[in-house]
């Protein structure tokens, strides 16, 4: 068995420390409670599986709560808190210096917000600007229920990605 210092830190953290760690990954109290109360995890894969499947299904209210911490795609936040640092890093592949792409992102964000009443959320890490724009166009045809399911999956993907980064830090 390979020693995993990050996993050990999470498993041995106080409940309040572990809760803070979890809520930076996904600020949904029910999800964070489940993740923290299931400790200790025997391995990283078990923790990440719990992060991707916990507290399912997420309610519309929980999704709205979590989205309050996410900036528009193409507009990384300027704050100095952990979530702002993570969002900037996650959006690093989204190139908003290209005027045409920036306009498409701005227009797409506006159309999405007009239709769904919330910020467009996508796991941007590892995706190019083109990938993000393609997904945005595709998701604009979703109905509310279908889109909420997609957003919930994106939130879980972001949470697992953030958790992995915290374990590796």
């Amino acid at each position: 068995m390979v020693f995993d210092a990050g996993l050990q830190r999470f498993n041995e953290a106080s409940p309040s420390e572990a809760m803070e760690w979890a809520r930076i990954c996904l600020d949904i109290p029910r999800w964070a409670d489940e993740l923290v109360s299931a400790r200790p995890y025997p391995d990283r894969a078990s923790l990440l599986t719990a992060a991707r499947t916990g507290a399912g299904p997420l309610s519309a209210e929980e999704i709205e709560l979590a989205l309050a911490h996410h900036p528009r795609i193409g507009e990384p936040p300027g704050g100095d808190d952990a979530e702002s640092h993570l969002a900037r890093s996650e959006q690093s592949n989204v190139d908003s210096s290209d005027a045409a792409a920036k306009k498409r992102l701005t227009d797409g964000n506006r159309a999405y917000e007009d239709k769904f009443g919330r910020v467009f959320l996508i796991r941007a890490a590892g995706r190019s600007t083109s990938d993000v724009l393609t997904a945005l166009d595709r998701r604009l045809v979703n109905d509310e229920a279908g889109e909420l399911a997609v957003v919930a999956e994106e939130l879980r993907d972001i949470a697992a990605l953030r958790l992995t980064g915290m374990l590796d830090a």
Side-chain angles (χ1 to χ4, degrees), residues 44-61:
R44 187 178 288 221
S46 299
L47 173 59
L48 295 176
T49 296
R52 285 194 170 94
T53 61
L58 301 178
S59 71
E61 293 79 21

Side-chain angles (χ1 to χ4, degrees), residues 32-50:
D33 286 342
E34 282 188 22
L35 195 70
V36 170
S37 66
R39 296 177 308 155
Y41 291 92
D43 53 47
R44 187 178 288 221
S46 299
L47 173 59
L48 295 176
T49 296

